[in-house]
């Protein structure tokens, strides 16, 4: 299947996913936005899990604890996401919990992402070349694995059938590697209702920017004359026009329509006007009615009293090749993450990290003078608040994701951040999400409540950036062995080649 099969579950369900690795290299899956409450052993990234070896299988077991909403899964290592392997996750409300909008006629999963014609192995092998590491863009957009209606080389495109007068929920995810996109449906307005497990204020939109790794739910009412209408996703910061096969174009088909889409695909937000995108992002606010988010009442009532640990992270390109393995790299605070052979979580559990990483070796509020490679692990205070300001010094729209938690997205701004800008934060109804965009030459500020012990990945969702070092880990630790605070390793715990026993 391409995309992969839907995981359709409800709040607090236990999920069992048995992964058979029939590839010729190791494999891990991560569950983008699933918080893995008290159970980072199931997170499926290089810092928490040894990979599933070729010709073997392993079963993930995790709970969708206290969550609702739209998410997706994908391969997390070896640049494999560029070859597919992603699929949708829906977490539905328990029947006893009301949803803050009428039940739609049907729901559609729409996974949209950029795509390379070359295989992920070919692209991965070229990452040592500066042109590929920093510049070469993808070739086009796919919608649920299908190319654009406008592409002359295919007869297959995505289509969704609707009935006049009915309302439908579209769960839209950006599963791509590099491009943010603007999404719209010809002649139809959308009502935004959810993003990555957080209900939002209901705002009507003609188009919506979706950044790499993000998911949204919108309601669309089939209230036009029965016909076919264009569904469009176009890359941001791109000069491609509406007839370009770079666009992702699908069809909204009324069930009694005999009329194909008319005209050209509609225009969205100006792809180069980032202020319009920022303004739209600021308009997306949290709706905490029937919210599953932990500490929502706390944050709304006591936000002004929070004494948060401050973190300032700056994303950079390391263009100098000298002395750093002869390869271009991406950095956070001038550190490019170096993946150790032993996952951090195993080292933490069985050897107190000894020989694998040194906690707080690198600064989180300042950059190293010289760019280096290293195992970047920072302290997160259990049951403490953290304020993270993400500064993007790249020339593209970046997006950042923190496993294990949701971000309270409190501020966006152009230029450098300073403490006085806190007065502009939205501390009343910030939206909660797991992936947040950071515009070029700009900053984004988020809060997170670190009530989930574990070793948690903080990363760029842009695949090249992540693959070439733009990540770190946050260690949230509680010494109490009580399994109600953190679960013990699973019985089927995988050990790596260098980890032949529980003593690492």
């Amino acid at each position: 299947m391409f995309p992969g099969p839907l995981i359709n579950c409800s709040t607090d369900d236990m999920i069992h996913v048995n992964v058979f690795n029939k590839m010729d290299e190791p494999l891990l899956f991560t569950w983008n936005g699933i918080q893995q409450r008290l159970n980072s052993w199931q997170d499926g990234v290089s810092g928490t899990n040894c990979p599933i070896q070729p010709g073997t299988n392993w079963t993930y077991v995790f709970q969708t604890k206290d969550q609702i909403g739209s998410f997706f899964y994908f391969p997390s290592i070896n640049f494999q996401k560029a070859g597919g392997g992603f699929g949708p996750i829906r977490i539905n409300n328990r029947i006893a919990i009301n949803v803050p909008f009428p039940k739609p006629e049907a729901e559609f999963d729409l996974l949209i992402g950029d795509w390379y014609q070359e295989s992920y192995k070919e692209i991965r092998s070229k990452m040592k070349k500066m042109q590929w590491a920093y510049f070469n863009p993808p070739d086009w957009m796919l919608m649920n694995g299908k190319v654009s209606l406008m592409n002359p080389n295919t007869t297959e495109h995505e289509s969704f059938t609707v009935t006049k007068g009915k309302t439908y929920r579209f769960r839209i995810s950006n599963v791509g590697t590099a491009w943010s996109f603007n999404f719209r449906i010809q002649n139809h307005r959308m009502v935004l209702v959810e993003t990555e497990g957080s209900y939002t204020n209901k705002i009507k939109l003609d188009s919506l920017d979706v950044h790499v790794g993000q998911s949204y739910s919108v309601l669309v009412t089939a209230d036009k004359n029965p016909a076919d209408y264009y569904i469009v996703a176009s890359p941001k910061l791109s000069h491609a026009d509406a007839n370009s096969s770079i666009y992702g174009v699908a069809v909204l088909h009324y069930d009694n329509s005999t009329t194909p889409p008319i005209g050209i695909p509609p225009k969205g937000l100006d792809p180069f006007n980032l202020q319009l995108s920022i303004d739209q992002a600021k308009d997306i606010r949290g709706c905490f009615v029937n919210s599953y988010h932990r500490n929502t009442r706390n944050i709304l009532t006591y936000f002004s009293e929070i004494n948060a640990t401050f973190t300032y992270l700056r994303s950079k390109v390391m263009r100098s090749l000298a002395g750093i393995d002869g390869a271009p790299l991406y950095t956070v605070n001038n550190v490019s993450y170096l993946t150790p052979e032993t996952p951090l979580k195993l080292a933490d559990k069985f050897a107190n990290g000894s020989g694998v990483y040194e906690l707080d070796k690198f600064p989180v509020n300042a950059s190293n003078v010289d760019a280096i490679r290293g195992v970047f692990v920072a302290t997160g205070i259990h049951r403490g608040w953290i304020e993270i300001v993400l500064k993007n010094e790249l020339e593209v729209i970046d997006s950042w994701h923190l496993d294990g938690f949701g971000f309270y997205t409190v501020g966006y701004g152009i230029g450098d951040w300073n403490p006085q800008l806190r007065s502009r934060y939205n501390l009343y109804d910030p939206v909660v999400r797991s992936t947040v965009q950071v515009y070029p030459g700009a900053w984004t500020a988020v809060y997170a409540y670190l009530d989930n012990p574990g070793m948690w990945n903080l990363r760029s969702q842009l695949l090249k950036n992540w693959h070439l070092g733009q990540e770190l880990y946050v260690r949230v630790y509680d010494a109490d062995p009580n399994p109600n605070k953190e679960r013990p390793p699973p019985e089927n715990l995988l050990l790596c080649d260098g980890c032949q026993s529980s003593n690492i």
Side-chain angles (χ1 to χ4, degrees):
M1 297 177 65
F2 182 60
L6 167 67
I7 297 176
N8 193 19
C9 58
S10 296
T11 302
D12 295 343
D13 278 355
M14 293 297 297
I15 309 301
H16 298 246
V17 183
N18 196 355
V19 177
F20 292 80
N21 183 7
K22 297 182 180 180
M23 302 172 67
D24 59 1
E25 60 185 32
L27 170 70
L28 278 176
F29 276 92
T30 193
W31 321 91
N32 199 63
I34 305 303
Q35 293 183 8
Q36 306 292 356
R37 301 294 309 173
L38 314 183
N39 196 19
S40 67
W41 300 103
Q42 307 291 334
D43 199 32
V45 290
S46 65
T48 58
N49 297 80
C50 293
I52 305 167
Q53 295 300 315
T56 68
N57 66 295
W58 193 70
T59 301
Y60 290 87
V61 181
F62 58 89
Q63 187 177 25
T64 53
K65 180 68 174 172
D66 292 344
Q67 287 191 266
I68 55 93
S70 307
F71 310 92
F72 63 94
Y73 57 86
F74 65 90
S76 66
I77 59 174
N78 295 330
F79 213 76
Q80 292 162 353
K81 184 187 178 190
F86 42 74
I89 303 173
R90 298 181 192 173
I91 307 180
N92 304 291
N93 287 60
R94 291 283 187 192
I95 295 175
I97 304 298
N98 293 327
V99 178
F101 49 85
K103 181 177 176 62
E105 178 70 14
E107 300 189 11
F108 300 119
D109 299 294
L110 184 46
L111 275 58
I112 305 172
D114 51 64
W115 192 256
Y116 292 93
Q117 294 189 65
E118 295 181 270
S119 75
Y120 75 89
K121 290 184 179 180
E122 292 175 298
I123 300 168
R124 184 177 67 195
S125 70
K126 295 177 179 179
M127 285 295 104
K128 292 183 180 181
K129 299 178 180 179
M130 189 175 296
Q131 180 66 28
W132 273 93
Y134 298 147
F135 303 109
N136 278 42
D139 294 298
W140 51 51
M141 306 281 292
L142 299 183
M143 287 189 168
N144 283 346
K146 300 174 183 178
V147 298
S148 169
L149 172 68
M150 313 304 289
N151 191 314
N153 299 317
T154 184
T155 58
E156 186 179 19
H157 59 270
E158 187 60 291
S159 179
F160 300 94
T161 299
V162 298
T163 299
K164 183 174 174 61
K166 302 294 186 180
T167 297
Y168 299 83
R169 181 176 184 173
F170 282 80
R171 296 177 183 257
I172 306 158
S173 295
N174 187 334
V175 296
T177 67
W179 285 340
S180 298
F181 62 77
N182 180 262
F183 178 84
R184 62 265 188 196
I185 302 176
Q186 185 182 27
N187 294 348
H188 289 72
R189 302 201 80 189
M190 302 174 288
V191 178
L192 181 67
V193 293
E194 178 253 334
T195 178
E196 295 147 38
S198 176
Y199 290 130
T200 67
N201 58 332
K202 299 181 183 68
I203 57 175
K204 293 183 178 180
L205 299 168
D206 295 311
S207 69
L208 174 66
D209 281 351
V210 186
H211 304 278
V212 178
Q214 292 185 339
S215 297
Y216 285 98
S217 284
V218 297
L219 301 179
V220 179
T221 299
D223 56 1
K224 304 303 178 185
N225 294 328
D228 287 0
Y229 297 89
Y230 291 114
I231 300 175
V232 183
S234 58
K236 304 289 289 183
L237 301 180
S238 170
H239 289 285
D241 60 34
N243 290 314
S244 172
S245 59
I246 290 179
Y247 277 33
V249 182
V251 171
L252 184 73
H253 170 72
Y254 281 64
D255 53 13
N256 56 350
S257 167
T258 58
T259 305
I262 298 173
I264 63 173
K267 292 183 178 181
L269 294 179
D270 181 343
F272 292 95
N273 190 332
L274 296 181
Q275 189 59 54
L276 290 177
S277 187
I278 293 173
D279 291 343
Q280 183 182 86
K282 289 180 177 180
D283 285 341
I284 299 172
R285 304 297 186 99
C287 173
F288 297 125
V289 177
N290 299 326
S291 174
Y292 274 102
H293 285 290
R294 294 169 176 269
N295 307 294
T296 295
R297 185 177 302 279
N298 186 332
I299 198 167
L300 293 179
T301 306
Y302 304 112
F303 228 151
S304 61
E305 301 175 11
I306 290 173
N307 183 20
T309 301
F310 176 67
T311 300
Y312 192 43
L313 302 179
R314 304 170 75 95
S315 304
K316 286 187 177 182
V317 168
M318 200 182 328
R319 297 188 186 277
S320 171
L321 305 185
I324 310 178
D325 299 334
L329 296 167
Y330 289 81
T331 68
V332 185
N333 291 6
N334 249 3
V335 180
S336 184
Y337 185 79
L338 181 64
T339 303
E341 292 184 3
T342 301
L344 303 173
K345 184 62 181 172
L346 270 71
D348 199 39
K349 176 67 177 179
F350 298 115
N352 198 31
S354 177
V356 176
Y357 73 90
E358 180 182 335
L359 188 63
D360 298 321
K361 181 178 181 180
F362 305 109
V364 293
N365 294 330
S367 292
N368 287 307
V369 175
D370 298 315
I372 59 173
R373 300 196 74 186
V375 184
F376 196 161
V377 183
T379 293
I381 299 174
H382 185 217
R383 299 193 184 279
W385 285 94
I386 186 171
E387 176 188 13
I388 304 174
V389 176
L390 301 158
K391 175 64 189 300
N392 182 4
E393 298 182 359
L394 309 176
E395 297 175 355
V396 298
I397 302 172
D398 203 351
S399 57
W400 278 81
H401 175 91
L402 177 60
D403 287 348
F405 306 94
F407 288 134
Y408 290 86
T409 307
V410 295
Y412 299 92
I414 300 294
D416 289 327
W417 180 90
N418 63 69
Q420 288 70 40
L421 291 168
R422 289 193 179 109
S423 64
R424 303 182 187 177
Y425 284 2
N426 170 24
L427 302 182
Y428 178 70
D429 53 0
V431 70
V432 186
R433 62 184 320 149
S434 63
T435 300
V436 66
Q437 70 272 25
V438 192
Y439 297 94
W443 56 269
T444 298
V446 299
Y447 282 99
Y449 185 62
L450 304 182
D451 63 342
N452 193 13
M455 187 71 72
W456 302 110
N457 188 228
L458 177 61
R459 63 176 179 267
S460 171
Q461 293 278 49
L462 276 60
L463 190 57
K464 287 182 181 180
N465 303 37
W466 185 13
H467 183 71
L468 294 176
Q470 198 172 311
E471 64 173 316
L472 66 145
Y473 280 81
V474 179
R475 179 183 184 260
V476 181
Y477 181 70
D478 190 310
D480 188 347
N482 184 344
N484 291 324
K485 290 189 175 181
E486 185 177 10
R487 294 179 186 172
E491 293 182 359
N492 65 342
L493 178 69
L494 286 173
L495 298 179
C496 310
D497 291 341
C499 313
Q500 298 305 320
S501 73
S502 61
N503 294 321
I504 304 297

